[in-house]
Amino acid sequence: MALACGVAVANAYFPQAITPLIAHGFHIGEATAATLATVTQLGYAAGLFLLVPLGDRLSRRPLITVLLGVTALALVGAGLAPATGPLLTAAVVVGLATVVPQIMLPMAAGMVAPERQGAVTGTLQAGLVGGILLARTFGGVLGEQLGWRAPYLVAAALTALLALTLGCALPRSAPAVRTPYPTLLIDTLRLLRRERQLRRSVSFQVTLFGAFSAAWTAVALLITGPRYGMGTQAVGLLALIGAASVFLAPAAGRSVDRYGADRVNLWCLLLGLTSGAVLLTGLIGGAAGLVGLGAGLLLLDVAVQCGQVANQARIFALRPEIRSRLNTGYMACGFLGAGIGSWLGTRAYAQLGWGAVCALIVLAALIAVAAWRHGRRIVGGRPDAPGHTVPNHDVSHDAGLARR
C-alpha cells in the first residue's frame, strides 16, 4: 500500500521538474509553463473534495482501480497533447483522479489498533513522501534525456500496471455508510466548521505545504536560469537529497504515538522556519549555493512530511466512522494551499527573485507557529496527548454523521 501511494502521488508532482522543457517545447514563457503545476494541484484539491468522501460510501478496491485507470488515460492525453490548452486540461484530470493515496490512508488506519495508527500512517506516508520527491528525479532525468512527453507516457504505463495489481491485491471492504453523495460533501464542510482539531491540522498543512510548493516550483526556474545554468536533471538530483526524509516519516509516526501530534507539529514548524533561512544561501551560486539549496530543501521536506503524519494521526483519532470525510476536508484544504503556494512562488520569483521566495517560506512558517500558539491557548495544556482520542466539540452532530 505504501508503494502504491508513492507511485500514484508522483503523477501530481513530476511536472514541476519539466516546466522549463515544456516552455521550450511550446515556445512559451517559463512562468506560463509553471501554471501546469498549479492547475494540477488545484485539480488534486478538487478531486480530494469531490472523490475522497466516496471512500466512506463505496467499496474502496473498485474505487481505487477506476481512479487509477482514469489517471492513466489522462497521462496519455497529456503526453500526446498538441498544444498548451489540451495539456492543461489533461493536467486537471490527472490532478482530479490522483487521490488514491488519500483513500488508502484511512483504509489502512482502520485495519490496525488505535495505538498503532500513528506508526501505520507513518509507513504509508513514507511511500507518499518517496513518490512526491522521487517524482521530480523521474521527471527531470527522463525529460532531459527523452523530451518532456516521455515522463507522461511512462507514468501512464506504470499507473495502468498499478491499477491491475491493486485490483487483485487489495482486501475487500464493505462501505461504512449509505449516505447520499450530496450529504457526504455537505458533511465535509460541516466538519471543517465544527471540528477544532481538524481546523488545527488544516492550518499547519496549508501554510507549510504552500511553502513547500512555492519552493519546489521556483527552484526549477532558479536552477535552469542564468545564476546556475543547469538542466532539469539537476532539479532531479536535488529531489534525491530531499528523499532522505522518507526514512523519517515512520519515526515521526512513532513519535506521534509517544508524544502526541501537537509536539511533533511544533518541531516541524521550527524546521520549516529554519529552512527558509538556509535556502537563502542559494543566492550565492556555484557549489556553495547548491549545497545550501540541498540542505534547505531537505529541512523543508522533513518538516512537511513529518508534519503530515502528525496532522493525519490527529484527525484519524476523531471519528473512525467518518475518516474519509475528515481526510477529505484536511487534504482538500492542504492542496488548495499548495496550488496557491505554487502560484505565489512563481510570481515572487518572476518579480523579485529567489530571495522573495525564501521570505515567503519564512512568512508561512511564522503564520503556522502563531496558529500553533493560538490553538494551545484555546484548548490549554496538551490538546492531543498520546493514547487519548481528541474530544469532539459537537457530540450530537458527530453522532449524527456516524449514523449516516
Side-chain angles (χ1 to χ4, degrees):
M1 292 175 78
L3 178 63
C5 285
V7 174
V9 79
N11 295 321
Y13 285 91
F14 73 77
Q16 291 181 348
I18 60 173
T19 50
L21 299 176
I22 293 172
H24 182 265
F26 284 121
H27 306 290
I28 57 177
E30 289 187 344
T32 303
T35 306
L36 179 68
T38 300
V39 299
T40 302
Q41 289 169 336
L42 291 176
Y44 194 70
L48 288 165
F49 180 73
L50 295 173
L51 300 177
V52 172
L54 292 174
D56 287 336
R57 179 68 176 78
L58 303 175
S59 178
R60 290 189 174 110
R61 186 169 72 175
L63 176 61
I64 289 169
T65 303
V66 169
L67 288 176
L68 287 172
V70 172
T71 303
L73 291 175
L75 288 167
V76 171
L80 300 178
T84 54
L87 176 60
L88 291 175
T89 301
V92 172
V93 177
V94 169
L96 278 167
T98 308
V99 295
V100 166
Q102 304 311 324
I103 297 173
M104 297 183 76
L105 276 161
M107 182 180 183
M111 295 165 63
V112 298
E115 62 270 17
R116 292 193 59 233
Q117 285 179 0
V120 169
T121 300
T123 299
L124 264 69
Q125 188 66 25
L128 198 70
V129 173
I132 290 172
L133 297 176
L134 295 178
R136 299 181 179 91
T137 305
F138 162 80
V141 173
L142 197 61
E144 187 77 19
Q145 297 298 322
L146 300 176
W148 69 265
R149 297 181 188 274
Y152 280 105
L153 298 178
V154 173
L158 291 174
T159 303
L161 180 61
L162 181 62
L164 294 174
T165 303
L166 293 184
C168 299
L170 284 179
R172 295 181 181 273
S173 62
V177 296
R178 295 293 181 184
T179 307
Y181 178 66
T183 305
L184 290 176
L185 300 183
I186 294 171
D187 284 348
T188 297
L189 297 175
R190 287 173 176 165
L191 286 168
L192 284 168
R193 179 168 60 90
R194 293 176 180 267
E195 285 290 352
R196 181 181 295 133
Q197 293 299 334
L198 175 58
R199 293 197 304 272
R200 188 166 175 78
S201 288
V202 163
S203 67
F204 300 147
Q205 182 69 357
V206 166
T207 48
L208 272 191
F209 202 24
F212 175 91
S213 295
W216 275 108
T217 302
V219 78
L221 304 178
L222 175 67
I223 292 297
T224 58
R227 187 179 297 275
Y228 288 93
M230 303 176 76
T232 56
Q233 293 184 83
V235 181
L237 292 175
L238 280 177
L240 279 179
I241 296 172
S245 61
V246 169
F247 303 104
L248 295 178
R254 292 190 294 270
S255 295
V256 170
D257 290 335
R258 182 176 180 182
Y259 300 110
D262 217 49
R263 186 181 298 184
V264 175
N265 274 136
L266 179 60
W267 298 340
C268 294
L269 297 180
L270 295 178
L271 275 180
L273 188 60
T274 303
S275 72
V278 175
L279 284 169
L280 195 59
T281 60
L283 291 172
I284 298 173
L290 285 174
V291 170
L293 286 174
L297 289 170
L298 176 59
L299 290 175
L300 187 56
D301 291 344
V302 170
V304 172
Q305 308 308 335
C306 294
Q308 172 96 319
V309 173
N311 292 332
Q312 288 188 308
R314 179 190 288 112
I315 65 173
F316 289 160
L318 290 174
R319 298 293 303 181
E321 302 88 348
I322 53 173
R323 284 195 180 108
S324 288
R325 277 165 282 177
L326 289 166
N327 200 41
T328 294
Y330 167 73
M331 291 302 302
C333 291
F335 273 87
L336 183 60
I340 294 171
S342 292
W343 184 83
L344 289 175
T346 302
R347 296 302 179 274
Y349 182 83
Q351 298 296 323
L352 300 171
W354 180 248
V357 178
C358 297
L360 186 64
I361 294 167
V362 170
L363 177 61
L366 288 174
I367 292 172
V369 170
W372 184 90
R373 294 185 62 186
H374 178 69
R376 297 280 289 194
R377 284 197 301 269
I378 289 177
V379 299
R382 302 174 67 193
D384 52 2
H388 299 280
T389 301
V390 179
N392 295 308
H393 300 282
D394 190 331
V395 176
S396 61
H397 173 73
D398 286 341
L401 287 179
R403 285 194 299 272
R404 286 199 294 273

